[in-house]
PDB file of all heavy atoms in Angstrom:
ATOM      1  N   GLU A 236       0.761  -1.115  -0.044  1.00 98.00           N
ATOM      2  CA  GLU A 236      -0.027  -0.047  -0.002  1.00 98.00           C
ATOM      3  C   GLU A 236       0.932   1.207  -0.011  1.00 98.00           C
ATOM      4  O   GLU A 236       0.603   2.287  -0.723  1.00 98.00           O
ATOM      5  CB  GLU A 236      -0.951  -0.080   1.228  1.00 98.00           C
ATOM      6  CG  GLU A 236      -1.923   1.161   1.332  1.00 98.00           C
ATOM      7  CD  GLU A 236      -2.803   1.053   2.501  1.00 98.00           C
ATOM      8  OE1 GLU A 236      -2.798   0.108   3.210  1.00 98.00           O
ATOM      9  OE2 GLU A 236      -3.544   2.092   2.733  1.00 98.00           O
ATOM     10  N   LYS A 237       1.920   1.262   0.871  1.00 98.00           N
ATOM     11  CA  LYS A 237       2.817   2.376   0.803  1.00 98.00           C
ATOM     12  C   LYS A 237       3.515   2.700  -0.491  1.00 98.00           C
ATOM     13  O   LYS A 237       3.647   3.720  -0.998  1.00 98.00           O
ATOM     14  CB  LYS A 237       3.881   2.273   1.938  1.00 98.00           C
ATOM     15  CG  LYS A 237       4.659   3.597   2.113  1.00 98.00           C
ATOM     16  CD  LYS A 237       5.669   3.540   3.278  1.00 98.00           C
ATOM     17  CE  LYS A 237       6.392   4.815   3.407  1.00 98.00           C
ATOM     18  NZ  LYS A 237       6.847   5.558   2.351  1.00 98.00           N
ATOM     19  N   ARG A 238       3.923   1.525  -1.077  1.00 98.00           N
ATOM     20  CA  ARG A 238       4.693   1.602  -2.349  1.00 98.00           C
ATOM     21  C   ARG A 238       3.754   2.136  -3.399  1.00 98.00           C
ATOM     22  O   ARG A 238       4.184   3.098  -4.047  1.00 98.00           O
ATOM     23  CB  ARG A 238       5.119   0.216  -2.765  1.00 98.00           C
ATOM     24  CG  ARG A 238       6.036   0.085  -3.917  1.00 98.00           C
ATOM     25  CD  ARG A 238       6.519  -1.285  -4.377  1.00 98.00           C
ATOM     26  NE  ARG A 238       7.141  -1.898  -3.315  1.00 98.00           N
ATOM     27  CZ  ARG A 238       6.739  -3.015  -2.784  1.00 98.00           C
ATOM     28  NH1 ARG A 238       5.606  -3.584  -3.101  1.00 98.00           N
ATOM     29  NH2 ARG A 238       7.526  -3.586  -1.736  1.00 98.00           N
ATOM     30  N   GLU A 239       2.575   1.677  -3.458  1.00 98.00           N
ATOM     31  CA  GLU A 239       1.612   2.281  -4.391  1.00 98.00           C
ATOM     32  C   GLU A 239       1.303   3.732  -4.268  1.00 98.00           C
ATOM     33  O   GLU A 239       1.142   4.519  -5.052  1.00 98.00           O
ATOM     34  CB  GLU A 239       0.314   1.455  -4.409  1.00 98.00           C
ATOM     35  CG  GLU A 239       0.526   0.032  -4.916  1.00 98.00           C
ATOM     36  CD  GLU A 239      -0.724  -0.844  -4.867  1.00 98.00           C
ATOM     37  OE1 GLU A 239      -1.837  -0.384  -4.441  1.00 98.00           O
ATOM     38  OE2 GLU A 239      -0.517  -2.217  -4.943  1.00 98.00           O
ATOM     39  N   LEU A 240       1.122   4.106  -2.862  1.00 99.00           N
ATOM     40  CA  LEU A 240       0.813   5.480  -2.598  1.00 99.00           C
ATOM     41  C   LEU A 240       1.933   6.412  -2.955  1.00 99.00           C
ATOM     42  O   LEU A 240       1.781   7.446  -3.402  1.00 99.00           O
ATOM     43  CB  LEU A 240       0.524   5.483  -1.123  1.00 99.00           C
ATOM     44  CG  LEU A 240       0.199   6.833  -0.554  1.00 99.00           C
ATOM     45  CD1 LEU A 240      -1.047   7.532  -1.108  1.00 99.00           C
ATOM     46  CD2 LEU A 240       0.125   6.792   1.001  1.00 99.00           C
ATOM     47  N   ASP A 241       3.115   5.916  -2.707  1.00 99.00           N
ATOM     48  CA  ASP A 241       4.375   6.758  -2.896  1.00 99.00           C
ATOM     49  C   ASP A 241       4.487   6.960  -4.390  1.00 99.00           C
ATOM     50  O   ASP A 241       4.896   7.961  -4.918  1.00 99.00           O
ATOM     51  CB  ASP A 241       5.568   6.108  -2.393  1.00 99.00           C
ATOM     52  CG  ASP A 241       5.671   6.149  -0.901  1.00 99.00           C
ATOM     53  OD1 ASP A 241       4.957   7.038  -0.271  1.00 99.00           O
ATOM     54  OD2 ASP A 241       6.513   5.479  -0.305  1.00 99.00           O
ATOM     55  N   LYS A 242       4.018   5.964  -5.295  1.00 98.00           N
ATOM     56  CA  LYS A 242       4.043   6.167  -6.732  1.00 98.00           C
ATOM     57  C   LYS A 242       3.001   7.142  -7.190  1.00 98.00           C
ATOM     58  O   LYS A 242       3.342   7.977  -8.034  1.00 98.00           O
ATOM     59  CB  LYS A 242       3.782   4.862  -7.434  1.00 98.00           C
ATOM     60  CG  LYS A 242       4.844   3.794  -7.462  1.00 98.00           C
ATOM     61  CD  LYS A 242       4.406   2.596  -8.161  1.00 98.00           C
ATOM     62  CE  LYS A 242       5.425   1.496  -8.013  1.00 98.00           C
ATOM     63  NZ  LYS A 242       5.017   0.161  -8.627  1.00 98.00           N
ATOM     64  N   LYS A 243       1.964   7.256  -6.599  1.00 98.00           N
ATOM     65  CA  LYS A 243       0.853   8.113  -6.676  1.00 98.00           C
ATOM     66  C   LYS A 243       1.234   9.618  -6.339  1.00 98.00           C
ATOM     67  O   LYS A 243       1.016  10.574  -7.080  1.00 98.00           O
ATOM     68  CB  LYS A 243      -0.415   7.791  -6.098  1.00 98.00           C
ATOM     69  CG  LYS A 243      -1.136   6.626  -6.681  1.00 98.00           C
ATOM     70  CD  LYS A 243      -2.405   6.278  -5.992  1.00 98.00           C
ATOM     71  CE  LYS A 243      -2.963   4.934  -6.503  1.00 98.00           C
ATOM     72  NZ  LYS A 243      -4.163   4.591  -5.875  1.00 98.00           N
ATOM     73  N   ILE A 244       2.080   9.688  -5.217  1.00 98.00           N
ATOM     74  CA  ILE A 244       2.578  10.915  -4.827  1.00 98.00           C
ATOM     75  C   ILE A 244       3.581  11.451  -5.762  1.00 98.00           C
ATOM     76  O   ILE A 244       3.610  12.657  -6.182  1.00 98.00           O
ATOM     77  CB  ILE A 244       3.157  10.831  -3.324  1.00 98.00           C
ATOM     78  CG1 ILE A 244       2.188  10.532  -2.405  1.00 98.00           C
ATOM     79  CG2 ILE A 244       3.952  12.167  -3.064  1.00 98.00           C
ATOM     80  CD1 ILE A 244       2.610  10.112  -1.005  1.00 98.00           C
ATOM     81  N   GLU A 245       4.426  10.568  -6.327  1.00 98.00           N
ATOM     82  CA  GLU A 245       5.389  10.979  -7.359  1.00 98.00           C
ATOM     83  C   GLU A 245       4.734  11.516  -8.617  1.00 98.00           C
ATOM     84  O   GLU A 245       5.141  12.546  -9.176  1.00 98.00           O
ATOM     85  CB  GLU A 245       6.359   9.842  -7.683  1.00 98.00           C
ATOM     86  CG  GLU A 245       7.270   9.558  -6.580  1.00 98.00           C
ATOM     87  CD  GLU A 245       8.192   8.295  -6.959  1.00 98.00           C
ATOM     88  OE1 GLU A 245       8.377   8.016  -8.101  1.00 98.00           O
ATOM     89  OE2 GLU A 245       8.619   7.584  -6.051  1.00 98.00           O
ATOM     90  N   ALA A 246       3.645  10.760  -9.050  1.00 98.00           N
ATOM     91  CA  ALA A 246       2.923  11.190 -10.252  1.00 98.00           C
ATOM     92  C   ALA A 246       2.270  12.508 -10.061  1.00 98.00           C
ATOM     93  O   ALA A 246       2.341  13.426 -10.858  1.00 98.00           O
ATOM     94  CB  ALA A 246       2.041  10.017 -10.656  1.00 98.00           C
ATOM     95  N   LEU A 247       1.586  12.697  -8.940  1.00 98.00           N
ATOM     96  CA  LEU A 247       0.949  14.025  -8.619  1.00 98.00           C
ATOM     97  C   LEU A 247       1.813  15.106  -8.661  1.00 98.00           C
ATOM     98  O   LEU A 247       1.721  16.195  -9.104  1.00 98.00           O
ATOM     99  CB  LEU A 247       0.261  13.857  -7.384  1.00 98.00           C
ATOM    100  CG  LEU A 247      -0.411  15.162  -6.851  1.00 98.00           C
ATOM    101  CD1 LEU A 247      -1.517  15.621  -7.941  1.00 98.00           C
ATOM    102  CD2 LEU A 247      -1.276  14.906  -5.566  1.00 98.00           C
ATOM    103  N   SER A 248       3.132  14.855  -7.888  1.00 98.00           N
ATOM    104  CA  SER A 248       4.117  15.903  -7.797  1.00 98.00           C
ATOM    105  C   SER A 248       4.667  16.242  -9.200  1.00 98.00           C
ATOM    106  O   SER A 248       4.940  17.556  -9.519  1.00 98.00           O
ATOM    107  CB  SER A 248       5.282  15.387  -6.909  1.00 98.00           C
ATOM    108  OG  SER A 248       4.773  15.349  -5.553  1.00 98.00           O
ATOM    109  N   ALA A 249       4.909  15.265 -10.073  1.00 98.00           N
ATOM    110  CA  ALA A 249       5.404  15.512 -11.368  1.00 98.00           C
ATOM    111  C   ALA A 249       4.290  16.335 -12.176  1.00 98.00           C
ATOM    112  O   ALA A 249       4.726  17.433 -12.782  1.00 98.00           O
ATOM    113  CB  ALA A 249       5.608  14.209 -12.159  1.00 98.00           C
ATOM    114  N   PHE A 250       3.055  16.032 -11.985  1.00 98.00           N
ATOM    115  CA  PHE A 250       1.971  16.869 -12.585  1.00 98.00           C
ATOM    116  C   PHE A 250       2.080  18.307 -12.123  1.00 98.00           C
ATOM    117  O   PHE A 250       2.004  19.302 -12.803  1.00 98.00           O
ATOM    118  CB  PHE A 250       0.621  16.207 -12.506  1.00 98.00           C
ATOM    119  CG  PHE A 250      -0.499  17.096 -12.762  1.00 98.00           C
ATOM    120  CD1 PHE A 250      -0.679  17.337 -14.246  1.00 98.00           C
ATOM    121  CD2 PHE A 250      -1.290  17.789 -11.913  1.00 98.00           C
ATOM    122  CE1 PHE A 250      -1.724  18.142 -14.603  1.00 98.00           C
ATOM    123  CE2 PHE A 250      -2.248  18.682 -12.409  1.00 98.00           C
ATOM    124  CZ  PHE A 250      -2.560  18.755 -13.677  1.00 98.00           C
ATOM    125  N   MET A 251       2.251  18.353 -10.785  1.00 98.00           N
ATOM    126  CA  MET A 251       2.168  19.801 -10.211  1.00 98.00           C
ATOM    127  C   MET A 251       3.485  20.576 -10.549  1.00 98.00           C
ATOM    128  O   MET A 251       3.425  21.676 -10.617  1.00 98.00           O
ATOM    129  CB  MET A 251       2.031  19.628  -8.689  1.00 98.00           C
ATOM    130  CG  MET A 251       0.689  19.119  -8.243  1.00 98.00           C
ATOM    131  SD  MET A 251       0.581  18.668  -6.563  1.00 98.00           S
ATOM    132  CE  MET A 251       0.499  20.420  -5.922  1.00 98.00           C
ATOM    133  N   ASP A 252       4.457  19.867 -10.878  1.00 97.00           N
ATOM    134  CA  ASP A 252       5.697  20.546 -11.342  1.00 97.00           C
ATOM    135  C   ASP A 252       5.832  20.972 -12.860  1.00 97.00           C
ATOM    136  O   ASP A 252       6.527  21.688 -13.351  1.00 97.00           O
ATOM    137  CB  ASP A 252       6.941  19.771 -11.021  1.00 97.00           C
ATOM    138  CG  ASP A 252       7.165  19.615  -9.480  1.00 97.00           C
ATOM    139  OD1 ASP A 252       6.839  20.533  -8.717  1.00 97.00           O
ATOM    140  OD2 ASP A 252       7.933  18.702  -9.102  1.00 97.00           O
ATOM    141  N   GLY A 253       4.727  20.446 -13.601  1.00 97.00           N
ATOM    142  CA  GLY A 253       4.687  20.565 -15.030  1.00 97.00           C
ATOM    143  C   GLY A 253       3.936  21.877 -15.387  1.00 97.00           C
ATOM    144  O   GLY A 253       3.301  22.544 -14.564  1.00 97.00           O
ATOM    145  N   ALA A 254       3.990  22.223 -16.635  1.00 96.00           N
ATOM    146  CA  ALA A 254       3.534  23.372 -17.123  1.00 96.00           C
ATOM    147  C   ALA A 254       2.031  23.383 -17.231  1.00 96.00           C
ATOM    148  O   ALA A 254       1.282  24.374 -17.088  1.00 96.00           O
ATOM    149  CB  ALA A 254       4.000  23.652 -18.578  1.00 96.00           C
ATOM    150  N   ILE A 255       1.353  22.138 -17.333  1.00 96.00           N
ATOM    151  CA  ILE A 255      -0.123  22.017 -17.436  1.00 96.00           C
ATOM    152  C   ILE A 255      -0.778  22.440 -16.174  1.00 96.00           C
ATOM    153  O   ILE A 255      -1.821  23.118 -16.078  1.00 96.00           O
ATOM    154  CB  ILE A 255      -0.548  20.675 -17.760  1.00 96.00           C
ATOM    155  CG1 ILE A 255       0.011  20.349 -19.260  1.00 96.00           C
ATOM    156  CG2 ILE A 255      -2.012  20.492 -17.578  1.00 96.00           C
ATOM    157  CD1 ILE A 255      -0.332  18.977 -19.641  1.00 96.00           C
ATOM    158  N   PHE A 256      -0.051  22.314 -15.003  1.00 98.00           N
ATOM    159  CA  PHE A 256      -0.521  22.604 -13.655  1.00 98.00           C
ATOM    160  C   PHE A 256      -0.889  23.997 -13.702  1.00 98.00           C
ATOM    161  O   PHE A 256      -1.992  24.454 -12.998  1.00 98.00           O
ATOM    162  CB  PHE A 256       0.401  22.261 -12.587  1.00 98.00           C
ATOM    163  CG  PHE A 256      -0.151  22.485 -11.196  1.00 98.00           C
ATOM    164  CD1 PHE A 256      -1.089  21.664 -10.691  1.00 98.00           C
ATOM    165  CD2 PHE A 256       0.356  23.571 -10.370  1.00 98.00           C
ATOM    166  CE1 PHE A 256      -1.587  21.796  -9.387  1.00 98.00           C
ATOM    167  CE2 PHE A 256      -0.175  23.724  -9.070  1.00 98.00           C
ATOM    168  CZ  PHE A 256      -1.075  22.873  -8.655  1.00 98.00           C
ATOM    169  N   ASP A 257      -0.143  24.975 -14.303  1.00 96.00           N
ATOM    170  CA  ASP A 257      -0.395  26.342 -14.236  1.00 96.00           C
ATOM    171  C   ASP A 257      -1.637  26.852 -14.948  1.00 96.00           C
ATOM    172  O   ASP A 257      -2.229  27.813 -14.760  1.00 96.00           O
ATOM    173  CB  ASP A 257       0.844  27.050 -14.881  1.00 96.00           C
ATOM    174  CG  ASP A 257       2.052  27.011 -14.066  1.00 96.00           C
ATOM    175  OD1 ASP A 257       1.865  26.807 -12.828  1.00 96.00           O
ATOM    176  OD2 ASP A 257       3.151  27.108 -14.636  1.00 96.00           O
ATOM    177  N   THR A 258      -2.183  25.771 -15.761  1.00 97.00           N
ATOM    178  CA  THR A 258      -3.406  26.232 -16.536  1.00 97.00           C
ATOM    179  C   THR A 258      -4.669  25.693 -15.672  1.00 97.00           C
ATOM    180  O   THR A 258      -5.778  26.032 -16.159  1.00 97.00           O
ATOM    181  CB  THR A 258      -3.462  25.515 -17.906  1.00 97.00           C
ATOM    182  OG1 THR A 258      -3.518  24.047 -17.622  1.00 97.00           O
ATOM    183  CG2 THR A 258      -2.216  25.806 -18.725  1.00 97.00           C
ATOM    184  N   VAL A 259      -4.507  24.989 -14.622  1.00 98.00           N
ATOM    185  CA  VAL A 259      -5.553  24.535 -13.749  1.00 98.00           C
ATOM    186  C   VAL A 259      -6.006  25.695 -12.885  1.00 98.00           C
ATOM    187  O   VAL A 259      -5.206  26.329 -12.441  1.00 98.00           O
ATOM    188  CB  VAL A 259      -5.026  23.348 -12.853  1.00 98.00           C
ATOM    189  CG1 VAL A 259      -6.061  22.923 -11.897  1.00 98.00           C
ATOM    190  CG2 VAL A 259      -4.631  22.200 -13.718  1.00 98.00           C
ATOM    191  N   PRO A 260      -7.361  25.764 -12.653  1.00 98.00           N
ATOM    192  CA  PRO A 260      -7.957  26.922 -11.794  1.00 98.00           C
ATOM    193  C   PRO A 260      -7.266  26.850 -10.546  1.00 98.00           C
ATOM    194  O   PRO A 260      -6.942  25.854  -9.958  1.00 98.00           O
ATOM    195  CB  PRO A 260      -9.405  26.674 -11.793  1.00 98.00           C
ATOM    196  CG  PRO A 260      -9.664  25.801 -12.957  1.00 98.00           C
ATOM    197  CD  PRO A 260      -8.533  25.013 -13.315  1.00 98.00           C
TER     198      PRO A 260
END
């Protein structure tokens, strides 16, 4: 469960660090 959660955190963080995040309200 922790391993899967950490993967999701990494994916979310990558999204938040990307340019598309700036277009989100």
Side-chain angles (χ1 to χ4, degrees):
E236 182 176 356
K237 184 175 184 331
R238 185 179 305 115
E239 292 173 14
L240 178 60
D241 289 345
K242 286 180 188 177
K243 291 178 181 181
I244 293 169
E245 287 178 29
L247 178 58
S248 293
F250 171 72
M251 291 172 72
D252 290 339
I255 295 174
F256 185 71
D257 292 334
T258 67
V259 174

